[in-house]
């Protein structure tokens, strides 16, 4: 294009034309580009039109023109988006959002936790090496018994309990009001904190001389009966007693105490000089209690200190070298423990005395099992506190090492405790161990088991494989605890206090479970989307459990903070895709990468009756128009199908693959691809896709094509392309649109060169359907953005160009392929039926050179592609004509400066001659 003002030229030349007939004898482009040659050469733009005065010749020419127009219309129809059939050709399909949602869903479920290190058929206990941890008391519905807390346990808590943030505030509230309602998620150490508070306030009160000054109250009796008992002095409890009560508010028909009940209890406690802590789980039932004057939230104990102290205790027990509370300077991670009990036994964590005998403290064992470990909140103090317990005594230097070898010397034979502690600190930070644990923070029982595994590995009794297997089992144990016997309480009789239950049992009982399942499936989506999906699942579970009743769900009783606490979830600000745009939203994740897979495995492998409502729920999610919901659900459906492919295929994949809507078929294809990602199921998936491609219904062939586009549902890239071609050319190209879309998706994979060679071969095929498959794929390549088809994360060459047309991104990042890309696009420009669509695509590419604000956009890709695309005179003339048309566009005129810049990108300076530029602009 001339550097002079192009718009001043008198007239715009006619658009270049191309012949419709494709002759194998047509000369190749540029005098010999082997396998990328075009099969019909374009006519010269200035070639004179043939004339014929006869009527028959005119009729024949008119008929040919009409046929060319019909062929061009058919071709344009085949370039439509196959995902918009249900909404019309112009309907939006946020393919980029769908690709991102699928990628994020795969990350959450990619922990490869198909196998865990303990027998799931007998999950009542975990046995790894010589480590045995009982979990029976974690079952839903097991309650503590009424009775005194042993003095040994109180002494241990006094010396070793880690004070959570806000502990002093809690103690002052208990001292002032005599009654404290302490809320928290199960397993976070809330009961241990309650015992620590009661031990401290009663030790300084009227009951300090009483060896049974702290008691556990019977949960079945409730607050009213406890108030009556305290006020009447029944039961022989002396003044100054501290009471721990854990009412079972989650049982259907159980009503929480009201404010008057709590006031009555507080008054009775004041009269007797006593104290009480009522421990409740956060949630809708307990929210009124926690919001009242007696309520408070119990923060969880810090994870690192729990593990460090537990690990030190384990090594001391086996090594025989007493090491006191080390504070921040100890080599075992910076935490210490309090001094030993007066009788010399180490009453900490393990439930064993110094000689290895089993501890006989029944009450302590029950408390440990229920609330996450023997102390429920960890032993030791926060880093930097000087190694002091609450009684003010300083622990001994945690770094002191013993010179004599211990009973449990490490694998290298070095029994020095200080060296073991150093190695333990390194092992805790091992990336492989951290990944195997897969939890952001550990609860007391988990810290107990984790420390035992680390200590066992250092002593040589637990192998590396057993260590990693046991670490992976931590998340599985949590999932088991969440689901075991959840609805057993539905069969329990209502309370005998004379009050009539006013809330539904099933919906309130199933909502926490439904929220955990929804979070496992939709983790990383918006909080509102997860919550809405959880309510849908609550309905399905309730109907399945009680089909004769309509579930009742209160509309204003949800507590998002309680949902987070009960499900070990965390919120985070992030980006949500809405109608093709990114907006800021509140996302939600599990606090640990291992929990989503553990929840799905527990759900599918151990609770068969729940499969039916979950399948119905997943089908509802498949219809959700938001990609963040439907694509994440499809990935989860694929993972569930891996665990039982027969069931997943029959109930999810095949029915949705035969659905009339593209959205459901995409769901089935994504689930198939997710299953193909597992080597154990890849062969079965490939067989399904192959059968559908050859013998399936049109809907099944459509689904097979979408599955093939992911690149894992055939044995090789050549097999994938062969199958896509068979789908695309069958029945006069009925499925050509979806086949071409998935050919383009394959171009983002490493085997891109193989795909380009196949496209070049198809352009020279004898059958027009193969030619059209190639031409439609080439045009679609220019019209598809990278992030609509890419599986890579940002940070890769293609991933960093997410909003680029894929054709230009490939030209910029893979220079060796530029010539083939240019030749293929040249073929589309010089074939009559694809010319108009290809010219429109070229215009789109040219307009993407810079953004509206003038910043560079795809200029790098155009600089690579245009010189190869305009190597001949007629190609440069076509570009000149197109630039002129863009400059004279009434709606979006191209600025003259930008037109010149594009011309200079396409035509190197050495090829520009003023007389040539004057001749064609």
């Amino acid at each position: 294009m001339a550097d002079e003002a192009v718009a001043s030229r008198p007239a715009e030349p006619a658009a270049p034309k191309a012949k419709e007939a494709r002759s194998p004898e047509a000369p190749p482009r540029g005098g010999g580009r082997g396998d990328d040659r075009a099969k019909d050469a374009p006519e010269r733009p200035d070639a004179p039109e043939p004339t014929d005065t006869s009527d028959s010749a005119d009729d024949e020419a008119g008929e040919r023109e009409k046929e060319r127009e019909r062929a061009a219309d058919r071709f344009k129809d085949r370039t439509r988006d196959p995902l918009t059939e249900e909404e019309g050709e112009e309907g939006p399909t946020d393919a980029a959002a769908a690709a991102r949602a699928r990628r994020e869903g795969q990350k959450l479920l990619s922990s490869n936790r198909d196998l865990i290190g303990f027998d799931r058929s007998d999950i009542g206990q975990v046995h790894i090496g010589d480590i045995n941890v009982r979990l029976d008391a974690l079952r839903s519905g097991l309650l503590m018994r009424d009775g005194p807390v042993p003095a040994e346990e109180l002494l241990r808590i006094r010396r070793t309990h880690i004070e959570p943030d806000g502990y002093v505030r809690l103690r002052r509230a208990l001292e002032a009001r005599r009654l404290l309602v302490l809320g928290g998620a199960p397993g976070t150490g809330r009961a241990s904190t309650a015992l620590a508070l009661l031990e401290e306030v009663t030790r300084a009160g009227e009951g300090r001389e009483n060896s049974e000054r702290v008691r556990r109250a019977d949960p079945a009796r409730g607050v009213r009966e406890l108030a009556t008992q305290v006020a009447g002095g029944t039961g022989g409890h002396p003044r100054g007693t501290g009471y721990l009560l854990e009412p079972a508010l989650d049982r259907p028909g159980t009503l929480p105490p009201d404010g008057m009940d709590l006031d009555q209890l507080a008054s009775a406690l004041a009269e007797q000089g006593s104290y009480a802590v009522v421990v409740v789980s956060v949630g809708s039932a307990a929210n009124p209690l926690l919001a009242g004057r007696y309520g408070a939230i119990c923060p969880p104990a810090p994870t690192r200190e729990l593990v460090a102290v537990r690990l030190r205790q384990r090594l001391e027990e086996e090594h025989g070298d007493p090491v006191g509370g080390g504070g921040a300077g100890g080599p075992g991670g910076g935490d210490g423990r309090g001094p030993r009990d007066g009788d010399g036994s180490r009453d900490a964590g393990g439930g064993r005395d110094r000689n290895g005998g089993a501890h006989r403290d029944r009450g302590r064992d029950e408390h440990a099992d229920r609330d996450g470990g023997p102390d429920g909140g960890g032993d030791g103090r926060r880093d930097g506190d000087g190694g002091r317990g609450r009684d003010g005594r300083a622990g001994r230097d945690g770094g002191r090492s013993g010179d004599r070898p211990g009973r449990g010397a490490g694998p290298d034979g070095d029994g020095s405790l200080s060296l073991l502690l150093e190695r333990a600190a390194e092992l805790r930070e091992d990336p492989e161990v951290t990944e195997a644990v897969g939890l952001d923070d550990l609860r007391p029982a988990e810290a107990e088991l984790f420390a035992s595994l680390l200590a066992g590995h250092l002593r040589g009794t637990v192998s590396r494989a057993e260590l990693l297997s046991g670490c992976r089992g931590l998340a599985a144990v949590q999932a088991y605890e969440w689901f075991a016997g959840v609805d057993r309480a539905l069969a329990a009789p209502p309370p005998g206090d004379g009050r009539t239950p006013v809330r539904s049992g099933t919906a309130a009982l199933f909502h926490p479970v439904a929220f955990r399942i929804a979070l496992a499936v939709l983790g990383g989506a918006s909080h509102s989307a997860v919550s809405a999906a959880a309510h849908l699942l609550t309905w399905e579970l309730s109907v399945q459990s009680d089909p004769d009743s309509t579930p009742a769900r209160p509309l204003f009783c949800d507590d998002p903070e309680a949902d987070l606490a009960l499900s070990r979830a965390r919120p985070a600000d992030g980006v949500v895709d809405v109608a093709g745009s990114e907006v800021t939203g509140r996302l939600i994740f599990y606090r640990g990468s291992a929990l989503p897979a553990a929840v799905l495995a527990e759900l599918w492998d151990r609770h068969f009756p729940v499969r039916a409502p979950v399948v119905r729920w997943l089908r509802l999610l498949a219809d959700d128009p938001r990609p963040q919901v439907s694509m994440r659900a499809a990935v989860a459906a694929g993972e569930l199908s891996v665990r039982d492919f027969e069931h997943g295929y029959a109930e999810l994949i095949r029915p949705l693959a035969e659905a009339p809507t593209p959205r459901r078929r995409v769901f089935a294809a994504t689930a198939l691809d997710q299953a193909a990602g597992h080597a154990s199921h890849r062969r079965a998936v490939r067989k399904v896709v192959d059968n559908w491609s050859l013998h399936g219904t049109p809907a099944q062939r459509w689904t097979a094509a979408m599955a093939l586009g992911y690149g894992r549902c055939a044995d090789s890239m050549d097999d994938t392309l062969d199958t896509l071609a068979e789908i695309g050319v069958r029945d006069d190209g009925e499925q050509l649109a979806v086949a071409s879309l998935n050919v383009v998706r394959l171009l983002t994979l490493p085997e891109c060169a193989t795909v380009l060679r196949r496209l070049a071969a198809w352009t020279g095929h004898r059958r027009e359907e193969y030619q059209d498959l190639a031409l439609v794929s080439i045009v679609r390549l220019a019209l598809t953005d990278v992030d609509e088809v890419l599986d890579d994360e940002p940070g890769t060459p293609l991933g960093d160009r997410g909003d680029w047309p894929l054709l230009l991104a490939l030209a910029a990042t893979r220079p060796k392929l530029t010539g083939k890309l240019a030749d293929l696009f040249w073929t589309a420009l010089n074939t009559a039926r694809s010319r108009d669509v290809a010219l429109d695509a070229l215009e789109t590419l040219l307009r993407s050179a810079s953004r509206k604000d003038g910043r560079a956009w795809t200029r790098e890709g155009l600089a690579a592609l245009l010189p190869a695309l305009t190597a001949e005179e007629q190609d440069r003339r076509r570009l000149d004509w197109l630039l002129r048309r863009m400059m004279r566009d009434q709606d979006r005129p191209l600025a003259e400066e930008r037109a010149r810049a594009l011309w200079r990108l396409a035509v190197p300076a050495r090829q520009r001659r003023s007389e040539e530029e004057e001749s064609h602009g």
Side-chain angles (χ1 to χ4, degrees):
M1 177 171 287
D3 290 340
E4 294 81 14
V6 181
S8 64
R9 299 189 66 84
E12 157 180 318
K17 294 184 178 181
K19 294 180 180 179
E20 176 60 23
R22 300 180 57 82
S23 170
E25 290 78 17
R29 174 191 172 194
R33 292 224 179 180
D35 52 2
D36 289 335
R37 67 181 57 189
K39 300 309 177 186
D40 56 338
E43 294 181 352
R44 295 176 55 86
D46 54 354
E49 292 291 340
T51 60
D52 193 333
T53 57
S54 65
D55 294 339
S56 60
D58 291 342
D59 293 342
E60 184 179 352
E63 186 62 31
R64 285 198 301 268
E65 183 63 26
K66 291 180 180 179
E67 178 59 31
R68 282 196 293 268
E69 291 177 357
R70 287 193 293 268
D73 290 341
R74 288 195 301 270
F75 185 87
K76 183 178 181 180
D77 183 63
R78 287 171 172 175
T79 61
R80 73 189 188 283
D81 186 350
L83 306 180
T84 61
E85 293 176 2
E86 60 184 354
E87 299 162 349
E89 186 176 353
E90 303 301 327
T93 59
D94 201 346
R100 283 191 292 270
R102 172 179 172 268
R103 186 166 61 240
E104 292 166 2
Q106 287 180 321
K107 287 194 299 184
L108 292 179
L109 295 174
S110 62
S111 52
N112 296 323
R113 296 170 185 273
D114 291 344
L115 300 176
I116 53 179
F118 52 90
D119 184 5
R120 298 185 65 94
S121 64
D122 185 19
I123 201 167
Q125 62 182 3
V126 177
H127 183 76
I128 302 173
D130 62 352
I131 301 168
N132 189 50
V133 180
R134 293 200 59 80
L135 303 170
D136 292 335
L138 294 175
R139 297 180 186 273
S140 175
L142 292 183
L143 303 174
M144 292 186 181
R145 299 178 182 178
D146 188 9
V149 178
E152 293 84 359
E153 184 174 355
L154 295 179
L155 179 61
R156 176 185 58 80
I157 288 177
R158 173 185 171 186
R159 293 180 174 179
T160 64
H161 177 256
I162 295 179
E163 298 177 359
D165 294 337
Y167 178 86
V168 175
R169 175 181 52 82
L170 297 176
R171 186 193 64 204
R172 290 174 178 171
L174 179 59
E175 291 173 339
R177 299 187 179 95
R178 299 282 176 169
L179 174 63
L180 181 67
V181 179
L182 195 61
T188 56
R190 55 192 180 151
S192 176
T193 298
L195 287 176
L197 289 167
L198 291 171
E199 190 279 333
E200 189 168 356
V201 297
T202 57
R203 178 161 44 89
E206 298 181 33
R208 56 182 173 273
E209 303 298 332
N210 180 14
S211 61
E212 298 181 352
R213 63 177 185 272
V214 179
R215 302 184 61 87
R216 292 186 176 92
D218 187 355
R221 294 181 179 178
V223 170
R224 282 189 175 184
E225 292 194 21
L226 178 60
T228 302
Q229 184 181 28
V230 172
T234 59
H237 303 165
R239 294 177 58 85
T241 299
Y243 299 92
L244 172 63
L245 174 63
E246 294 189 60
L249 301 181
D250 58 343
R251 299 181 64 183
T254 301
L255 294 175
D258 54 31
M260 294 183 63
D261 295 334
L262 296 177
D263 289 340
Q264 181 182 359
L265 176 58
S267 176
L269 292 170
E271 291 177 1
Q272 296 294 325
S274 299
Y275 303 88
V277 178
V278 179
V279 175
V280 297
S281 295
V282 293
S284 59
N287 283 347
L289 302 178
L290 297 175
R293 70 173 67 92
Y294 303 104
I297 297 295
C298 180
T303 295
R304 293 186 62 83
E305 295 179 32
L306 284 174
V307 176
V309 172
R310 289 297 195 192
L311 184 56
R312 178 185 295 274
Q313 291 170 353
R314 288 291 176 268
L315 293 177
E316 286 180 10
E317 290 170 359
E318 295 297 329
H319 192 277
D321 187 358
V323 177
D335 300 290
R337 53 162 291 193
R340 290 177 294 171
D341 296 343
D343 59 357
S345 65
R346 288 176 175 81
D347 188 10
R352 295 178 178 269
D353 60 23
R354 183 169 185 172
N355 296 323
H359 203 290
R360 293 189 296 272
D361 184 354
R362 173 180 57 83
R364 169 187 164 188
D365 290 342
E366 290 175 352
H367 165 65
D369 286 341
R370 276 188 52 80
D371 209 38
D375 62 353
D379 346 306
R381 287 144 301 283
R382 288 185 288 276
D383 291 343
D385 64 358
R388 293 181 179 271
R390 286 197 320 277
D391 57 0
R393 299 190 214 171
R396 283 176 280 179
D397 180 10
R400 187 175 76 84
S401 63
D403 296 329
R404 67 184 188 279
R407 291 176 295 157
D412 59 356
D414 187 349
S416 171
L417 181 57
S418 62
L419 293 180
L420 286 176
L421 291 173
E422 292 176 1
R423 292 172 54 200
E426 296 175 358
L427 187 60
R428 283 174 53 191
E429 305 301 327
D430 188 317
E432 191 175 10
V433 172
T434 302
E435 189 278 334
V437 172
L439 298 172
D440 293 350
D441 45 53
L442 297 180
R443 292 181 172 179
E446 296 162 352
E448 172 82 19
L449 179 56
F450 183 48
S452 298
L453 290 168
L454 294 177
H457 181 64
L458 293 173
R459 298 194 311 265
T461 59
V462 174
S463 67
R464 176 82 175 184
E466 289 177 324
L467 168 65
L468 297 177
S469 178
C471 290
R472 294 187 182 100
L474 294 175
V477 171
Q478 174 64 94
Y480 166 79
E481 177 187 346
W482 278 340
F483 290 99
V486 167
D487 55 352
R488 188 179 299 133
L490 289 174
D497 56 4
R499 292 182 292 175
T500 302
V502 296
R503 62 188 178 96
S504 171
T506 55
L509 187 67
F510 287 132
H511 179 69
V513 175
F515 190 88
R516 292 160 187 156
I517 298 172
L519 184 55
V521 172
L522 303 179
S526 64
H527 194 167
S528 61
V530 175
S531 181
H535 281 293
L536 285 177
L537 182 56
T538 299
W539 175 277
E540 294 292 344
L541 294 174
S542 300
V543 170
Q544 185 77 13
S545 176
D546 188 7
D548 296 330
S549 302
T550 300
R553 179 67 184 167
L555 300 181
F556 298 98
C557 292
D558 274 2
D559 184 356
E561 298 304 322
D563 288 340
L564 296 179
L566 293 175
S567 300
R568 300 184 73 162
R570 62 177 177 86
D573 292 334
V575 173
V576 179
D577 292 293
V578 179
S581 302
E582 294 183 350
V583 297
T584 302
R586 187 172 188 254
L587 311 183
I588 183 172
F589 300 86
Y590 268 117
R591 297 184 62 86
S593 60
L595 287 172
V599 166
L600 294 183
E602 173 70 21
L603 177 74
W604 220 241
D605 294 348
R606 296 180 58 84
H607 304 282
F608 295 103
V610 84
R611 288 187 176 186
V614 169
V615 165
R616 293 196 299 269
W617 174 67
L618 288 173
R619 290 180 180 178
L620 291 175
L621 298 187
D623 292 326
D624 196 293
R626 295 167 295 180
Q628 65 164 328
V629 174
S630 58
M631 293 303 291
R632 283 181 169 88
V635 172
E639 287 296 315
L640 294 176
S641 298
V642 168
R643 308 201 70 83
D644 188 346
F645 193 73
E646 177 188 15
H647 186 272
Y649 176 78
E651 298 295 330
L652 278 171
I653 295 176
R654 187 176 63 185
L656 295 180
E658 297 171 348
T661 60
R663 186 174 290 122
R664 284 197 161 200
R665 298 199 295 265
V666 170
F667 185 101
T670 304
L672 271 177
D673 171 74
Q674 187 67 20
H678 295 258
S680 57
H681 289 71
R682 193 166 298 146
R683 182 177 179 182
V685 171
R686 291 175 177 175
K687 183 65 174 177
V688 169
V689 171
D690 189 55
N691 286 337
W692 285 356
S693 303
L694 295 175
H695 312 295
T697 63
Q700 288 176 336
R701 294 200 303 273
W702 195 100
T703 305
M706 289 300 300
L708 288 165
Y710 290 113
R712 298 192 293 193
C713 293
D715 293 334
S716 66
M717 181 58 71
D718 285 327
D719 290 340
T720 300
L721 293 168
D722 287 339
T723 307
L724 283 174
E726 292 171 358
I727 295 173
V729 303
R730 184 173 173 177
D731 298 334
D732 296 325
E734 178 185 357
Q735 307 282 2
L736 193 144
V738 68
S740 65
L741 170 63
N742 289 282
V743 170
V744 172
R745 293 171 64 198
L746 295 174
L747 286 167
T748 63
L749 302 179
E751 301 91 336
C752 176
T754 302
V755 182
L756 295 180
R757 285 196 298 270
R758 184 62 66 88
L759 287 173
W762 287 341
T763 60
H765 201 279
R766 295 180 180 177
R767 292 179 58 184
E768 185 175 305
E769 291 84 357
Y770 280 92
Q771 298 170 12
D772 283 351
L773 177 59
L775 294 171
V776 171
S777 300
I778 294 164
V779 172
R780 198 181 297 281
L781 173 62
L783 297 174
T784 301
D785 288 346
V786 172
D787 57 7
E788 296 178 20
V789 293
L790 185 67
D791 284 337
D792 291 351
E793 291 284 350
T796 62
L798 281 179
D800 289 338
R801 295 169 172 81
D803 60 348
W804 283 37
L806 181 57
L807 176 62
L808 298 182
L810 290 173
T813 60
R814 302 180 183 179
K816 294 182 179 179
L817 302 179
T818 302
K820 293 182 178 180
L821 292 168
D823 285 351
L824 288 171
F825 197 58
W826 184 91
T827 301
L829 287 169
N830 286 274
T831 302
R833 60 182 179 275
S834 62
R835 181 193 61 193
D836 292 343
V837 179
L839 279 173
D840 292 341
L842 179 58
E843 178 178 345
T844 301
L845 297 179
L846 294 174
R847 290 187 182 276
S848 70
S850 57
R851 303 185 188 274
K852 292 182 179 180
D853 58 5
R855 292 182 295 117
W857 186 3
T858 65
R859 183 182 178 88
E860 178 187 2
L862 288 168
L865 180 69
L866 288 179
L869 191 62
T870 58
E872 299 178 3
E873 170 68 16
Q874 61 182 4
D875 303 326
R876 290 192 291 272
R877 291 193 178 192
R878 176 171 42 234
L879 178 62
D880 170 71
W881 171 85
L882 182 57
L883 289 173
R884 286 174 177 279
R885 189 181 77 171
M886 294 167 63
M887 292 174 63
R888 296 179 179 179
D889 192 311
Q890 297 296 321
D891 298 323
R892 294 193 306 162
L894 181 68
E896 179 182 332
E897 181 181 354
R898 292 190 178 184
R900 286 191 180 131
L902 290 170
W903 178 258
R904 294 190 186 105
L905 283 180
V907 182
R910 55 185 171 79
Q911 295 184 3
R912 297 185 215 139
R913 299 193 305 272
S914 56
E915 63 273 12
E916 182 183 13
E917 291 180 345
E918 283 296 327
S919 66
H920 59 73

